[in-house]
Amino acid sequence: MRRVLLFFVFLVLAPTSIYGDTDPSDASALRVMYQGLHSPGQLTKWTSNGGDPCVENWKGVKCSSSRVTEINLSGLGLSGDMGYQLTSLTSLTNLDMSNNNLGNQIPYNLPPNLQRLNFAGCGFSGSLPYSISLMTSLKYLQVTSIT
Ligand SMILES: *[C@@H]1O[C@H](CO)[C@@H](O)[C@H](O)[C@H]1NC(C)=O
């Protein structure tokens, strides 16, 4: 009887603890980002429909257990925007989007716990959004403005 019970416990826990499925909010934010960037082929494994960023090793994405901790899409010739769900990425500490064409405004809603943020050469103009001053974990910020 106890053996049967253990077996069921194992089955219930297996998907999260063994395979490390990505946190649903993190996965959703990345799918929305992919769409915002016009679903570029150079982002191998990425998809706007299903998929699992941490398990499938989406290009430029690093995870710790089920959370996305690092995104580096530097210099991949991307254009568009990063989507409207960046604030869900609460475990993201390192974001490097440098040298892509991300439009003209630095997004206001950024991942809140970033330590390193690189927006150099992204085509932004204007000033830094106030929200950046509220990111208390930020240690490194690189950004260039074309105006
Ligand atoms: C991101 O990737 C580029 C190109 O591979 C590399 O030069 C850069 O150092 C990386 N950035 C970070 C923050 O690791």
Side-chain angles (χ1 to χ4, degrees):
M1 186 59 189
R2 183 172 295 170
R3 199 169 288 170
V4 171
L5 192 64
L6 280 176
F7 182 67
F8 279 110
V9 168
F10 177 78
L11 277 186
V12 169
L13 294 178
T16 48
S17 57
I18 296 180
Y19 300 107
D21 290 12
T22 307
D23 175 270
S25 306
D26 285 2
S28 171
L30 264 60
R31 291 184 196 111
V32 170
M33 185 188 298
Y34 184 62
Q35 275 179 307
L37 295 168
H38 313 304
S39 309
Q42 58 272 44
L43 293 188
T44 49
K45 307 273 178 69
W46 289 59
T47 170
S48 56
N49 183 14
D52 190 299
C54 297
V55 174
E56 296 166 358
N57 288 311
W58 287 16
K59 185 175 178 69
V61 175
K62 290 206 177 101
C63 298
S64 175
S65 60
S66 65
R67 302 301 310 271
V68 174
T69 56
E70 196 175 320
I71 299 175
N72 184 355
L73 304 180
S74 174
L76 292 178
L78 304 172
S79 64
D81 62 71
M82 288 180 286
Y84 51 86
Q85 283 186 16
L86 296 177
T87 49
S88 310
L89 296 166
T90 54
S91 290
L92 191 70
T93 54
N94 199 342
L95 177 61
D96 187 345
M97 297 299 295
S98 58
N99 303 311
N100 290 291
N101 184 7
L102 299 180
N104 48 31
Q105 289 271 218
I106 296 175
Y108 189 86
N109 293 305
L110 290 163
N113 299 315
L114 285 180
Q115 294 172 10
R116 298 178 67 86
L117 174 60
N118 194 338
F119 275 154
C122 287
F124 293 129
S125 59
S127 50
L128 291 176
Y130 177 71
S131 56
I132 287 187
S133 70
L134 304 176
M135 295 167 63
T136 51
S137 306
L138 200 61
K139 296 178 190 141
Y140 173 94
L141 170 66
Q142 193 174 349
V143 63
T144 48
S145 173
I146 57 172
T147 45

